[in-house]
Amino acid sequence: MEPTTRAHGDGRVELTDVTSLEGSRFFNSELAPVPVEKRTWTTYNYFALWMGMAHNIPSYALAASLIALGMNWVQALLTITIGNLIVLAPMLLNSHAGTKYGIPFPVFARAFYGMRGANLAALLRAFIACGWFGIQTWVGGEALYIIVGRLAGSGWKDSAVIAGQHWTLWLSFGIFWLIQMLIIWRGMEAIRRFENWTAPLVSVGFLIMLGYVLIQAGGFGPILSEPGKLGWGPDFWKVFAPTLMAMIAFWSTLSLNMPDFTRFGGSQGKQVKGQILGLPTTMTFIAIVAILTTSGGSVLYGEQIWDPAKLADKFGSPLVVVVALIALVLATISANLAANVVSPSYDFSNAFPRKITFAVGGLITGVIGVLIQPWRLYSDPNIYIFAWLGFYGGLLGAVAGVLVAGYWVVSRTELKLRDLYTEGGAYWFSGGWNWRALVATLVGAVLAVGGAYGGPFPADGLIPFLKPLYDYNWVVGLIGAFLVYLALALPATNKEEISERRSARRVDPAAVDG
């Protein structure tokens, strides 16, 4: 153990003198390791975090879009459940470092990408989070637009169209954006408190919608008898693989940056139990609600409406619409803050620690989230699943492969905490970059998404001979980068260990004692 660190009985490690790092350009107070006495999050905090993140409109739309693509309710639920269990594995593996060392994701990435190279992994994750922030803000603004429309009348919903949308929808989008910026400006503790009190409420809106649809459709019978269009033959299996990757990609962002939250964990057991209780159960619950509600909407209205705000707008009862969508608005704010603002705030701060605070990083996230034009990404389930989720899932799978290989196999969970903030230390590598991690990420990413096809991509794939791999993008990216990083890093690590042992043998014990 380093002289500047203290190991506790439960395995958690902390720096004994953080002030000595204050002159480093790779350090600021928000990236600093959390002292053990401030690592107070409980199992419930993590369960509430996942409930807040999972119960939101895009999560609902993810499940509902499978019905829109032709699956029946059994196929959709199976696809989502398998995807969540798979992505939970790298999520828990990467979460360990956050709880053990109290460090956020971009600092964790320094151990394998290098002090400067970590910005590549962090900013890649950050820009994807910005896209998600924009999507969540758009759908939240859309729900707000429908709520006010039901209360204010047709003048609001039939307002003049500007740039392809009603100006009142643009206004709702802007108001929703501003509310979130005000919360993030108050910092991480404000987000934790918001998650805690919204977590028990976020299911209300979806249950109200499901109850209304069940009553109108005449119970579960007509809904569950919806056959789907794919059957269990080749048509289903052709869609299953890419949609499974999309389900994994939906949370692949969090599989990287969960250290941003687990750094506050009271113990490894608390964060592990909280996440195991939180992710599979909450996502399965929202999937069941979304599948049943969308199938019920198909029975009632003759079409699969995968956007819950648009489905609710068809309901005859204004009270049901308003109450349901208010709950969905709260759910979306809760999810967006936790899943899509915390990570990029840290990531942008990591790129320029002396200039960008957590709050400023959140503001940057909000601005970029608007610039990516989220209304286009969310406009079609094929674009949403196969282009957006599929492509970035492959990229992040490659980053996850490097982190898991580096932390668990190469480093065996042992990091030099002080060196994660020190120029010229163990993680400086070559000018702050670890070429092995970069090569592994590049190879994994090319294998995963080089064959991207459909939507904005060529029908034969960007690189035609890699097209078959694109249907398995996240898995290909993770395994490819994992194996390449091990092949490049293990020989170098073994040489260093042999050299250190030889040096230790040459040390004169008397000289050390004297």
Side-chain angles (χ1 to χ4, degrees):
M1 187 61 60
E2 304 167 68
T4 55
T5 59
R6 179 189 299 120
H8 292 256
D10 60 3
R12 292 181 296 169
V13 178
E14 66 178 338
L15 280 178
T16 55
D17 184 18
V18 177
T19 58
S20 64
L21 295 174
E22 289 179 353
S24 171
R25 60 195 176 112
F26 294 98
F27 175 88
N28 67 28
S29 59
E30 284 147 348
L31 295 175
V34 178
V36 165
E37 66 268 17
K38 294 185 178 179
R39 302 184 203 175
T40 58
W41 284 32
T42 65
T43 297
Y44 174 75
N45 288 138
Y46 288 105
F47 178 78
L49 176 73
W50 272 113
M51 183 176 284
M53 289 194 296
H55 291 183
N56 60 81
I57 295 177
S59 290
Y60 174 105
L62 183 72
S65 65
L66 299 183
I67 300 297
L69 290 171
M71 290 189 184
N72 63 34
W73 70 273
V74 175
Q75 293 167 333
L77 185 59
L78 179 69
T79 304
I80 290 169
T81 301
I82 293 173
N84 289 328
L85 292 175
I86 290 173
V87 80
L88 185 62
M91 194 173 294
L92 292 176
L93 292 173
N94 287 329
S95 293
H96 186 277
T99 303
K100 182 173 182 177
Y101 295 101
I103 53 176
F105 160 65
V107 174
F108 174 46
R110 292 173 182 177
F112 313 107
Y113 283 89
M115 302 296 287
R116 289 174 172 156
N119 287 323
L120 174 68
L123 292 178
L124 177 63
R125 164 66 181 96
F127 286 122
I128 290 168
C130 292
W132 268 118
F133 175 84
I135 289 173
Q136 294 266 28
T137 303
W138 177 254
V139 298
E142 185 181 58
L144 195 62
Y145 164 78
I146 292 172
I147 292 170
V148 177
R150 281 300 181 106
L151 297 174
S154 60
W156 174 268
K157 294 185 67 176
D158 297 332
S159 60
V161 174
I162 299 175
Q165 306 289 346
H166 293 284
W167 73 264
T168 47
L169 178 53
W170 290 121
L171 177 62
S172 301
F173 176 57
I175 292 172
F176 198 77
W177 181 91
L178 183 61
I179 291 170
Q180 295 172 103
M181 289 298 100
L182 291 175
I183 296 173
I184 198 67
W185 197 258
R186 301 191 64 179
M188 189 68 181
E189 185 60 23
I191 293 175
R192 185 182 72 87
R193 288 197 301 268
F194 188 84
E195 294 292 335
N196 281 346
W197 75 261
T198 56
L201 302 176
V202 294
S203 306
V204 172
F206 292 125
L207 290 175
I208 290 173
M209 289 180 61
L210 175 59
Y212 182 86
V213 166
L214 284 174
I215 292 170
Q216 296 298 313
F220 287 103
I223 293 174
L224 297 180
S225 63
E226 283 284 293
K229 301 175 183 176
L230 300 177
W232 288 96
D235 288 343
F236 168 70
W237 295 108
K238 184 170 65 176
V239 172
F240 173 73
T243 52
L244 177 64
M245 293 304 104
M247 300 306 109
I248 295 170
F250 190 78
W251 291 121
S252 65
T253 49
L254 270 294
S255 74
L256 298 183
N257 77 280
M258 272 309 293
D260 293 341
F261 302 99
T262 59
R263 65 192 299 228
F264 301 102
S267 70
Q268 294 288 3
K270 289 176 182 177
Q271 64 91 358
V272 168
K273 283 188 288 186
Q275 293 199 74
I276 291 175
L277 289 172
L279 173 59
T281 56
T282 53
M283 279 300 288
T284 300
F285 170 80
I286 196 62
I288 291 171
V289 172
I291 290 164
L292 293 175
T293 307
T294 305
S295 298
S298 177
V299 172
L300 292 175
Y301 307 115
E303 58 180 322
Q304 283 109 0
I305 305 172
W306 66 298
D307 184 331
K310 291 180 178 177
L311 177 60
D313 197 28
K314 287 185 170 288
F315 293 172
S317 169
L319 179 62
V320 170
V321 174
V322 171
V323 173
L325 291 185
I326 286 175
L328 297 191
V329 164
L330 287 175
T332 302
I333 294 175
S334 175
N336 220 11
L337 292 176
N340 304 315
V341 178
V342 171
S343 173
S345 294
Y346 284 129
D347 296 338
F348 290 128
S349 181
N350 183 72
F352 304 99
R354 310 303 294 274
K355 297 180 180 179
I356 298 179
T357 65
F358 181 84
V360 172
L363 181 60
I364 293 171
T365 301
V367 172
I368 296 176
V370 174
L371 295 178
I372 59 100
Q373 301 181 54
W375 48 92
R376 296 185 186 276
L377 292 177
Y378 193 67
S379 62
D380 181 273
N382 287 288
I383 295 174
Y384 182 55
I385 287 183
F386 298 121
W388 168 244
L389 288 172
F391 192 86
Y392 89 63
L395 297 178
L396 296 190
V399 176
V402 169
L403 296 180
V404 172
Y407 183 66
W408 287 94
V409 182
V410 178
S411 298
R412 295 190 284 274
T413 76
E414 295 298 323
L415 302 178
K416 297 179 179 179
L417 186 54
R418 182 180 175 80
D419 284 5
L420 290 170
Y421 300 89
T422 306
E423 185 174 344
Y427 306 115
W428 188 244
F429 297 105
S430 178
W433 296 81
N434 182 5
W435 66 268
R436 297 174 182 86
L438 300 179
V439 169
T441 304
L442 180 62
V443 172
V446 170
L447 290 174
V449 304
Y453 68 93
F457 305 116
D460 293 332
L462 292 171
I463 304 175
F465 76 91
L466 292 177
K467 180 179 177 180
L469 296 182
Y470 187 62
D471 286 345
Y472 308 91
N473 42 63
W474 182 84
V475 171
V476 168
L478 185 140
I479 293 176
F482 181 94
L483 294 176
V484 172
Y485 186 74
L486 290 186
L488 296 175
L490 277 179
T493 303
N494 291 336
K495 287 181 182 178
E496 290 174 4
E497 290 178 351
I498 292 171
S499 177
E500 287 175 2
R501 285 197 294 269
R502 287 175 177 171
S503 298
R505 291 194 197 102
R506 288 195 292 267
V507 173
D508 183 357
V512 173
D513 294 338

